Short mmCIF file of all heavy atoms in Angstrom, two decimals:
data_model
loop_
_atom_site.label_atom_id
_atom_site.label_comp_id
_atom_site.label_asym_id
_atom_site.label_seq_id
_atom_site.Cartn_x
_atom_site.Cartn_y
_atom_site.Cartn_z
N PRO A 1 -11.70 -3.33 -3.00
CA PRO A 1 -11.04 -3.67 -4.28
C PRO A 1 -11.78 -2.89 -5.48
O PRO A 1 -11.17 -2.59 -6.40
CB PRO A 1 -11.24 -5.14 -4.39
CG PRO A 1 -12.38 -5.51 -3.42
CD PRO A 1 -12.26 -4.52 -2.28
N ASP A 2 -13.06 -2.56 -5.23
CA ASP A 2 -13.74 -1.92 -6.29
C ASP A 2 -13.20 -0.54 -6.56
O ASP A 2 -13.13 0.00 -7.62
CB ASP A 2 -15.22 -1.74 -5.88
CG ASP A 2 -15.55 -1.10 -4.61
OD1 ASP A 2 -14.72 -1.35 -3.67
OD2 ASP A 2 -16.50 -0.41 -4.36
N VAL A 3 -12.75 0.18 -5.37
CA VAL A 3 -12.10 1.50 -5.53
C VAL A 3 -10.82 1.38 -6.30
O VAL A 3 -10.43 2.28 -7.03
CB VAL A 3 -12.03 2.09 -4.13
CG1 VAL A 3 -11.39 3.54 -4.29
CG2 VAL A 3 -13.35 2.28 -3.48
N ALA A 4 -10.03 0.31 -5.99
CA ALA A 4 -8.75 0.17 -6.61
C ALA A 4 -8.94 -0.11 -8.11
O ALA A 4 -8.17 0.42 -8.96
CB ALA A 4 -8.01 -1.06 -6.02
N GLN A 5 -10.01 -0.79 -8.50
CA GLN A 5 -10.30 -0.92 -9.83
C GLN A 5 -10.73 0.26 -10.50
O GLN A 5 -10.39 0.53 -11.76
CB GLN A 5 -11.46 -1.92 -10.06
CG GLN A 5 -11.16 -3.44 -9.62
CD GLN A 5 -10.24 -4.14 -10.61
OE1 GLN A 5 -9.69 -3.48 -11.64
NE2 GLN A 5 -10.00 -5.40 -10.52
N GLN A 6 -11.37 1.22 -9.81
CA GLN A 6 -11.67 2.52 -10.42
C GLN A 6 -10.43 3.36 -10.69
O GLN A 6 -10.32 3.94 -11.73
CB GLN A 6 -12.49 3.39 -9.44
CG GLN A 6 -13.89 2.88 -9.25
CD GLN A 6 -14.67 3.61 -8.09
OE1 GLN A 6 -14.41 4.87 -7.92
NE2 GLN A 6 -15.47 3.00 -7.30
N VAL A 7 -9.40 3.18 -9.86
CA VAL A 7 -8.08 3.88 -10.02
C VAL A 7 -7.44 3.33 -11.33
O VAL A 7 -6.95 4.17 -12.19
CB VAL A 7 -7.23 3.65 -8.82
CG1 VAL A 7 -5.76 4.20 -9.20
CG2 VAL A 7 -7.74 4.36 -7.56
N LEU A 8 -7.48 1.94 -11.46
CA LEU A 8 -6.84 1.40 -12.58
C LEU A 8 -7.64 1.79 -13.95
O LEU A 8 -6.94 2.06 -14.98
CB LEU A 8 -6.77 -0.13 -12.43
CG LEU A 8 -5.83 -0.57 -11.47
CD1 LEU A 8 -5.86 -2.20 -11.26
CD2 LEU A 8 -4.31 -0.29 -11.74
N ALA A 9 -8.95 1.73 -13.88
CA ALA A 9 -9.75 2.03 -14.94
C ALA A 9 -9.52 3.44 -15.54
O ALA A 9 -9.77 3.75 -16.78
CB ALA A 9 -11.27 1.78 -14.66
N ALA A 10 -9.13 4.35 -14.58
CA ALA A 10 -8.86 5.67 -15.01
C ALA A 10 -7.50 5.88 -15.46
O ALA A 10 -7.12 7.05 -15.95
CB ALA A 10 -9.11 6.68 -13.76
N GLY A 11 -6.68 4.89 -15.63
CA GLY A 11 -5.35 4.96 -16.15
C GLY A 11 -4.24 5.25 -15.31
O GLY A 11 -3.12 5.62 -15.69
N HIS A 12 -4.46 5.09 -13.99
CA HIS A 12 -3.45 5.36 -12.97
C HIS A 12 -2.59 4.06 -12.61
O HIS A 12 -3.08 2.93 -13.08
CB HIS A 12 -3.99 6.01 -11.70
CG HIS A 12 -4.83 7.22 -12.13
ND1 HIS A 12 -4.19 8.48 -12.64
CD2 HIS A 12 -6.14 7.50 -12.09
CE1 HIS A 12 -5.21 9.27 -12.74
NE2 HIS A 12 -6.32 8.78 -12.48
N ARG A 13 -1.66 4.17 -11.85
CA ARG A 13 -0.85 3.07 -11.44
C ARG A 13 -1.02 2.84 -9.94
O ARG A 13 -1.09 3.80 -9.15
CB ARG A 13 0.57 3.21 -11.85
CG ARG A 13 1.50 1.98 -11.60
CD ARG A 13 2.91 2.23 -12.05
NE ARG A 13 3.68 0.92 -11.99
CZ ARG A 13 4.98 0.89 -12.23
NH1 ARG A 13 5.60 2.03 -12.64
NH2 ARG A 13 5.61 -0.23 -12.02
N LEU A 14 -0.87 1.63 -9.53
CA LEU A 14 -0.97 1.24 -8.08
C LEU A 14 0.46 0.86 -7.52
O LEU A 14 1.24 0.28 -8.27
CB LEU A 14 -1.81 0.01 -7.84
CG LEU A 14 -3.30 0.28 -8.26
CD1 LEU A 14 -4.11 -1.04 -7.92
CD2 LEU A 14 -3.96 1.49 -7.59
N GLY A 15 0.80 1.21 -6.37
CA GLY A 15 2.00 0.93 -5.74
C GLY A 15 1.86 0.33 -4.32
O GLY A 15 0.75 0.45 -3.81
N ASN A 16 2.89 -0.26 -3.76
CA ASN A 16 2.81 -0.93 -2.53
C ASN A 16 3.12 0.10 -1.44
O ASN A 16 4.08 0.70 -1.43
CB ASN A 16 3.84 -2.08 -2.55
CG ASN A 16 3.70 -3.10 -1.41
OD1 ASN A 16 3.52 -2.76 -0.37
ND2 ASN A 16 4.01 -4.33 -1.78
N HIS A 17 2.36 0.04 -0.36
CA HIS A 17 2.50 0.90 0.80
C HIS A 17 2.53 0.07 2.16
O HIS A 17 2.08 0.50 3.08
CB HIS A 17 1.47 2.08 0.88
CG HIS A 17 1.90 3.19 1.64
ND1 HIS A 17 3.13 3.79 1.58
CD2 HIS A 17 1.11 3.99 2.52
CE1 HIS A 17 3.18 4.82 2.32
NE2 HIS A 17 2.03 5.02 2.85
N THR A 18 2.88 -1.28 1.95
CA THR A 18 2.80 -2.36 2.93
C THR A 18 1.37 -2.75 3.25
O THR A 18 0.53 -1.99 2.96
CB THR A 18 3.56 -1.97 4.28
OG1 THR A 18 2.76 -1.13 5.09
CG2 THR A 18 4.91 -1.52 3.95
N HIS A 19 1.17 -3.84 3.83
CA HIS A 19 -0.17 -4.30 4.13
C HIS A 19 -0.80 -3.62 5.30
O HIS A 19 -2.02 -3.30 5.11
CB HIS A 19 -0.14 -5.90 4.30
CG HIS A 19 -1.49 -6.50 4.37
ND1 HIS A 19 -2.31 -6.71 3.27
CD2 HIS A 19 -2.37 -6.79 5.36
CE1 HIS A 19 -3.48 -7.19 3.55
NE2 HIS A 19 -3.46 -7.28 4.77
N ARG A 20 -0.08 -3.34 6.22
CA ARG A 20 -0.58 -2.72 7.52
C ARG A 20 0.07 -1.39 7.84
O ARG A 20 -0.08 -0.96 8.94
CB ARG A 20 -0.40 -3.72 8.68
CG ARG A 20 -1.19 -4.97 8.64
CD ARG A 20 -0.75 -5.87 9.74
NE ARG A 20 0.51 -6.43 9.55
CZ ARG A 20 1.39 -6.62 10.61
NH1 ARG A 20 0.89 -6.51 11.89
NH2 ARG A 20 2.52 -6.99 10.37
N HIS A 21 0.56 -0.72 6.84
CA HIS A 21 1.23 0.61 7.06
C HIS A 21 2.26 0.62 8.14
O HIS A 21 2.19 1.31 9.11
CB HIS A 21 0.11 1.66 7.36
CG HIS A 21 0.46 3.06 7.05
ND1 HIS A 21 0.97 3.89 7.93
CD2 HIS A 21 0.44 3.82 5.86
CE1 HIS A 21 1.26 5.13 7.44
NE2 HIS A 21 0.92 5.09 6.17
N LEU A 22 3.31 -0.35 7.96
CA LEU A 22 4.28 -0.45 8.94
C LEU A 22 5.42 0.53 8.82
O LEU A 22 5.79 0.88 7.69
CB LEU A 22 4.82 -1.91 8.79
CG LEU A 22 3.88 -3.07 9.10
CD1 LEU A 22 4.63 -4.43 9.05
CD2 LEU A 22 3.08 -2.96 10.34
N SER A 23 5.94 0.89 9.97
CA SER A 23 7.16 1.67 10.01
C SER A 23 8.41 0.77 9.92
O SER A 23 8.49 -0.11 10.76
CB SER A 23 7.29 2.49 11.29
OG SER A 23 8.51 2.97 11.49
N GLY A 24 9.25 1.03 8.96
CA GLY A 24 10.49 0.26 8.83
C GLY A 24 11.41 0.39 9.98
O GLY A 24 12.42 -0.35 10.13
N TRP A 25 11.21 1.47 10.84
CA TRP A 25 12.17 1.72 11.95
C TRP A 25 11.76 0.82 13.09
O TRP A 25 12.41 0.68 13.97
CB TRP A 25 12.05 3.10 12.36
CG TRP A 25 12.71 4.08 11.35
CD1 TRP A 25 13.27 3.74 10.13
CD2 TRP A 25 12.73 5.50 11.45
NE1 TRP A 25 13.69 4.91 9.56
CE2 TRP A 25 13.31 5.95 10.26
CE3 TRP A 25 12.12 6.44 12.38
CZ2 TRP A 25 13.51 7.31 10.05
CZ3 TRP A 25 12.38 7.75 12.05
CH2 TRP A 25 13.09 8.27 10.94
N ARG A 26 10.41 0.35 13.24
CA ARG A 26 9.96 -0.26 14.40
C ARG A 26 9.73 -1.72 14.28
O ARG A 26 9.49 -2.38 15.23
CB ARG A 26 8.74 0.44 14.87
CG ARG A 26 8.74 1.92 15.12
CD ARG A 26 7.46 2.51 15.51
NE ARG A 26 6.82 1.75 16.56
CZ ARG A 26 5.51 2.04 16.86
NH1 ARG A 26 4.83 2.91 16.16
NH2 ARG A 26 4.95 1.34 17.86
N HIS A 27 9.71 -2.25 13.01
CA HIS A 27 9.32 -3.68 12.86
C HIS A 27 10.55 -4.44 12.42
O HIS A 27 11.28 -4.06 11.47
CB HIS A 27 8.22 -3.81 11.85
CG HIS A 27 6.87 -3.34 12.43
ND1 HIS A 27 6.42 -2.07 12.46
CD2 HIS A 27 5.76 -3.98 12.97
CE1 HIS A 27 5.35 -1.89 13.04
NE2 HIS A 27 4.88 -3.06 13.39
N PRO A 28 10.81 -5.64 12.87
CA PRO A 28 11.93 -6.56 12.37
C PRO A 28 11.83 -6.72 10.96
O PRO A 28 10.69 -6.79 10.38
CB PRO A 28 11.79 -7.76 13.21
CG PRO A 28 10.91 -7.40 14.47
CD PRO A 28 9.98 -6.26 13.93
N ARG A 29 12.95 -6.88 10.34
CA ARG A 29 12.94 -7.04 8.95
C ARG A 29 12.25 -8.21 8.36
O ARG A 29 11.47 -8.03 7.42
CB ARG A 29 14.38 -7.22 8.43
CG ARG A 29 14.62 -7.33 6.94
CD ARG A 29 16.08 -7.12 6.51
NE ARG A 29 16.97 -7.91 7.15
CZ ARG A 29 18.25 -8.12 6.72
NH1 ARG A 29 18.68 -7.61 5.74
NH2 ARG A 29 19.03 -8.91 7.45
#
């Protein structure tokens, strides 16, 4: 979380890449 805070403190934006880096083709909805 400290690295994520560095990203925000530098003026950048965070986005969602799923919690476990899941493929939408292989996992049930």
Side-chain angles (χ1 to χ4, degrees):
D2 55 324
V3 181
Q5 292 286 8
Q6 291 175 35
V7 173
L8 292 174
H12 307 293
R13 188 174 181 186
L14 303 180
N16 191 323
H17 204 43
T18 76
H19 191 75
R20 294 174 294 146
H21 203 265
L22 298 186
S23 167
W25 293 355
R26 297 178 56 191
H27 290 82
R29 181 167 51 169

